[in-house]
């Protein structure tokens, strides 16, 4: 195994992790159907629930808000005003899925009322806390939350996270030293300017291409028409946060007031802009002092790179652990509900990654896409399993330089900046997800003018998203707000975000790598 090239080792780990993940997937627990009777009483509500096996249970809720907190699926009951007489509803297709990762226990409950599927997630720091806060899940947790599969899932998450911590440990020193070295070795500031503008042009055009691919596919498949999301239905209202304020906030982040603080907090944009300025001013100062500084950062870079190579040799273990966790922690039921949405994201990502970017490689960078993909495969597979482009950055840098033979000047500049602001997969995902939500929420395809707002905000959201797992999901709030969609609508898609995150992160890293080939060609 040790003598096998790294990309084969990682591939084997990826496949083995997937298989083990299936073996250790605790699966979903199906619950019996339930009938709920809601009776208005004393200004509040009484709910009695009854199923075949158990006795009748009754709960009292003070008001509507309390009731809906526990039973969000009853939202529709009040659609036509207050409830006056008792109502009985059938709850079917009930299942729960538990994920325990030592630090957090999450329970997802899926059920159907009046043909509408609802998903609710409950989370607590531990099993005991979960049972205490949500006593209704006590029996289910004790039966299914303490099994061997849950343990395997938790251990693999811990091992995977440890690998990611190692990568993160070197990421910031690597960015700083490599960026400064890369710029300082350009020789003069004019060359930096030329490279900078070409790189930005590449980032912008590929992100926009990705967004338009996403918009095209989601309008073609229309996965949201007929789907039901939490937050109910309604129409679009005008956005709250203006695009310009989002943009200005991002510019602010380019100018750190305390670089030590930014380094400590891992604020990528601030670190990158400060390192770039340092590199440029080393060039401008030149002479004896310029040389001392260049040598210092060059030496730091060599040491960090060597440390990175060591950590990279552990990648197969990290990838194996992440795959076991990713596969074993997924509930199967939710995939059925969201299959068309997922298909739209996959298809659009696929078009961007295997058609559009390879065309750029072939015709602009004049490199063989297949060979380039092979050279990048360790980084792409690590991006896939870790869902973090920042975490993968050390691997991306070493693959681009060692396997794809791209100069350090280019890679040290294009990759760190790209890992932060060039996220084609994330940009595409934001557009598809928001248009899906809009379709489900309004029941129709969004007008073109609004789709344009989605495109622009999706671009900003992808620039602002950090290269860490689920960052895209967090940034989606900006896009949803811009077109006046409710944030709760995200509720359901969170359940499948990990899988989509893995795919979009690989596309993010792939686009950064292709960017290196393009910029190298015009160096
Ligand atoms: N996980 C992605 C990345 O690291 C960001 C995202 O959530 O879209 O590139």
């Amino acid at each position: 195994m040790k003598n096998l090239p790294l990309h084969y080792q990682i591939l084997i780990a990826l496949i083995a992790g997937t298989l083990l993940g299936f073996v250790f997937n605790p699966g979903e627990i199906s619950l019996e159907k339930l009938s709920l009777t809601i009776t208005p009483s004393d200004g509040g509500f009484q709910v009695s629930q009854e199923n075949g096996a158990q006795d009748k249970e009754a709960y009292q809720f003070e008001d509507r808000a309390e009731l809906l907190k526990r039973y969000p699926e009853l939202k529709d009951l009040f659609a036509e005003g207050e409830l006056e007489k008792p109502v009985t509803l059938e709850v079917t297709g009930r299942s729960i899925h538990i994920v325990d990762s030592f630090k957090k226990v999450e329970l997802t409950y899926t059920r159907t009322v009046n043909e509408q599927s609802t998903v609710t997630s409950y989370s607590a720091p531990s099993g005991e806390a979960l049972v205490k806060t949500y006593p209704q899940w006590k029996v289910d947790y004790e039966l299914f939350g303490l099994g061997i599969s849950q343990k395997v899932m938790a251990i693999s998450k811990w091992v995977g996270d440890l690998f990611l911590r190692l990568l993160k440990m070197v990421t910031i020193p690597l960015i700083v030293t490599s960026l400064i070295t890369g710029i300082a070795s350009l020789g003069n500031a004019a060359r930096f300017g030329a490279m900078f503008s070409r790189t930005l042009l590449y980032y912008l055009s590929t992100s926009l291409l990705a967004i338009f691919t996403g918009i095209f596919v989601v309008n073609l498949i229309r996965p949201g028409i007929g789907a039901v999301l939490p937050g109910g239905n309604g129409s679009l209202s005008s956005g709250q946060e203006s695009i310009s304020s989002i943009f200005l906030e991002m510019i602010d982040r380019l100018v750190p007031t305390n670089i030590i603080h930014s380094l400590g907090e891992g604020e990528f944009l601030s670190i990158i802009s400060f390192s770039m300025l340092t590199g440029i001013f080393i060039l401008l100062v030149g002479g004896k002092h310029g040389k001392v500084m260049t040598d210092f950062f060059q030496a730091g870079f060599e040491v960090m790179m060597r440390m990175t190579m060591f950590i990279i040799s552990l990648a197969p273990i990290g990838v194996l652990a992440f795959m076991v966790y990713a596969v074993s922690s997924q509930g199967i039921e939710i995939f059925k509900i969201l299959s068309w949405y997922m298909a739209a994201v996959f298809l659009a990502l696929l078009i961007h990654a295997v058609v559009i970017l390879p065309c750029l490689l072939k015709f602009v960078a004049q490199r063989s896409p297949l060979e380039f993909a092979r050279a990048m495969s360790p980084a792409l597979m690590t991006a896939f399993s870790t869902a973090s482009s920042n975490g993968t950055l050390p691997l991306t840098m070493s693959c681009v330089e060692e396997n794809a033979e791209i100069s350090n000047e280019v890679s040290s500049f294009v990759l760190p900046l790209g890992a932060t602001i060039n996220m084609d997969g994330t940009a595409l995902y934001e557009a598809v997800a928001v248009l899906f939500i809009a379709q489900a929420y309004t029941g129709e395809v969004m007008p073109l003018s609004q789709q344009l707002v989605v495109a622009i905000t999706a671009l900003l959201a992808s620039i602002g998203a950090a290269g860490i797992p689920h960052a895209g999901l967090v940034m989606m709030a900006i896009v949803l707000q811009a077109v006046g969609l409710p944030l709760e609508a995200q509720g359901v898609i969170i359940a499948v975000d990990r899988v989509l995150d893995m795919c979009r992160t690989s596309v993010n890293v792939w686009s950064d790598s292709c960017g290196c080939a393009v910029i190298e060609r015009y160096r």
Side-chain angles (χ1 to χ4, degrees):
M1 183 89 180
K2 262 260 153 252
N3 299 329
L4 222 61
L6 186 68
H7 57 275
Y8 283 123
Q9 290 184 31
I10 297 183
L11 186 65
I12 292 170
L14 200 86
I15 297 169
T18 311
L19 296 177
L20 284 174
F22 277 118
V23 173
F24 288 105
N25 191 319
E28 261 127 352
I29 308 150
S30 296
L31 306 177
E32 277 183 64
K33 74 171 188 217
L34 198 70
S35 83
L36 286 182
T37 307
I38 302 100
T39 318
S41 75
D42 297 339
F45 300 93
Q46 197 195 38
V47 177
S48 60
Q49 58 178 50
E50 200 175 347
N51 65 23
Q54 280 169 15
D55 287 334
K56 221 169 163 175
E57 285 176 46
Y59 304 96
Q60 179 70 32
F61 296 91
E62 267 176 25
D63 55 23
R64 186 161 124 177
E66 281 280 306
L67 174 71
L68 292 183
K69 212 152 84 197
R70 168 85 184 261
Y71 296 101
E73 62 268 45
L74 301 183
K75 206 166 189 162
D76 279 0
L77 262 190
F78 300 98
E80 283 148 28
E82 283 309 319
L83 203 62
E84 272 149 24
K85 42 185 193 322
V87 182
T88 302
L89 292 167
E90 288 273 285
V91 187
T92 54
R94 298 168 66 228
S95 69
I96 69 166
H97 180 69
I98 299 171
V99 175
D100 188 340
S101 56
F102 284 157
K103 292 176 192 149
K104 194 160 99 180
V105 179
E106 275 175 299
L107 186 148
T108 317
Y109 175 39
T110 316
R111 69 278 187 205
T112 306
V113 181
N114 286 343
E115 292 174 18
Q116 292 195 7
S117 292
T118 311
V119 184
T120 322
S121 288
Y122 302 84
S123 119
S126 67
E128 292 88 69
L130 181 89
V131 167
K132 213 156 146 201
T133 325
Y134 308 106
Q136 72 264 35
W137 300 120
K138 187 169 186 301
V139 178
D140 311 278
Y141 178 76
E142 280 166 3
L143 266 177
F144 298 95
L146 301 168
I148 177 90
S149 299
Q150 292 286 345
K151 291 272 175 317
V152 171
M153 196 194 289
I155 293 171
S156 50
K157 168 105 170 64
W158 179 73
V159 173
D161 281 345
L162 213 54
F163 169 65
L164 204 54
R165 287 178 77 98
L166 277 172
L167 282 172
K168 283 186 184 156
M169 177 177 84
V170 286
T171 303
I172 291 179
L174 201 60
I175 294 181
V176 173
T177 53
S178 90
L179 206 53
I180 297 179
T181 317
I183 296 174
S185 60
L186 281 174
N188 66 55
R191 277 189 71 197
F192 168 77
M195 190 149 97
F196 187 66
S197 41
R198 277 188 208 121
T199 308
L200 285 191
L201 182 69
Y202 173 85
Y203 291 161
L204 198 68
S205 36
T206 53
S207 294
L208 284 175
L209 277 171
I211 291 173
F212 289 122
T213 308
I215 290 185
F216 173 73
V217 170
V218 79
N219 280 304
L220 196 74
I221 297 187
R222 304 185 175 189
I225 304 288
V228 181
L229 301 177
N233 299 61
S235 54
L236 301 176
S237 55
S238 62
Q240 293 146 14
E241 207 174 346
S242 73
I243 297 180
S244 59
S245 72
I246 303 167
F247 187 67
L248 290 179
E249 210 175 287
M250 228 170 285
I251 304 276
D252 277 350
R253 272 196 279 148
L254 285 175
V255 188
T257 49
N258 179 347
I259 186 61
I260 306 291
H261 178 266
S262 304
L263 284 168
E265 290 295 311
E267 290 164 357
F268 268 54
L269 274 185
S270 312
I271 297 172
I272 288 172
S273 68
F274 187 77
S275 305
M276 280 206 285
L277 284 176
T278 311
I280 295 170
F281 281 90
I282 289 178
L283 275 181
L284 292 177
V285 168
K288 195 176 86 192
H289 296 315
K291 179 154 180 356
V292 172
M293 289 295 274
T294 313
D295 286 349
F296 171 75
F297 284 109
Q298 177 88 46
F301 176 59
E302 297 295 334
V303 175
M304 282 305 130
M305 205 58 189
R306 185 65 77 80
M307 201 189 287
T308 304
M309 299 305 270
F310 162 70
I311 297 169
I312 288 174
S313 67
L314 303 175
I317 301 173
V319 168
L320 179 86
F322 267 121
M323 289 312 295
V324 173
Y325 173 70
V327 177
S328 64
S329 61
Q330 290 301 325
I332 311 296
E333 197 57 37
I334 192 75
F335 286 94
K336 287 190 211 143
I337 301 178
L338 293 172
S339 53
W340 281 111
Y341 158 68
M342 295 179 72
V345 178
F346 284 140
L347 180 66
L349 284 175
L350 205 66
I351 295 176
H352 190 67
V354 305
V355 181
I356 298 178
L357 291 176
C359 278
L360 286 178
L361 271 178
K362 181 111 191 106
F363 301 112
V364 184
Q366 302 194 332
R367 294 195 60 141
S368 149
L370 263 182
E371 264 170 40
F372 195 71
R374 190 167 313 135
M376 292 311 301
S377 56
L380 297 177
M381 287 187 279
T382 307
F384 181 75
S385 55
T386 59
S388 165
S389 22
N390 284 1
T392 311
L393 185 58
L395 253 126
T396 321
M397 291 183 85
S398 94
C399 287
V400 160
E401 286 180 33
E402 316 271 318
N403 304 351
E405 286 161 10
I406 284 171
S407 66
N408 171 253
E409 257 168 52
V410 169
S411 78
S412 68
F413 179 72
V414 176
L415 292 178
L417 197 58
T420 316
I421 67 174
N422 181 43
M423 294 198 179
D424 293 10
T426 303
L428 181 157
Y429 167 73
E430 302 285 323
V432 174
V434 171
L435 292 183
F436 163 74
I437 290 174
Q439 289 172 359
Y441 186 65
T442 61
E444 45 195 83
V445 173
M446 207 185 223
L448 266 185
S449 59
Q450 291 273 41
Q451 296 207 19
L452 204 62
V453 176
V454 170
I456 298 170
T457 37
L459 178 69
L460 288 180
S462 75
I463 295 176
I468 55 172
H470 302 299
L473 195 70
V474 179
M475 291 304 283
M476 194 185 293
I478 295 183
V479 192
L480 287 172
Q481 269 182 5
V483 282
L485 283 167
L487 297 188
E488 311 91 83
Q490 269 188 316
V492 173
I493 63 174
I494 292 175
V496 292
D497 193 58
R498 183 69 189 193
V499 187
L500 299 179
D501 197 3
M502 292 160 75
C503 301
R504 64 185 190 249
T505 308
S506 314
V507 175
N508 291 346
V509 170
W510 177 228
S511 167
D512 293 341
S513 320
C514 295
C516 286
V518 170
I519 306 298
E520 176 82 1
R521 167 87 171 68
Y522 293 98
R523 187 154 67 98

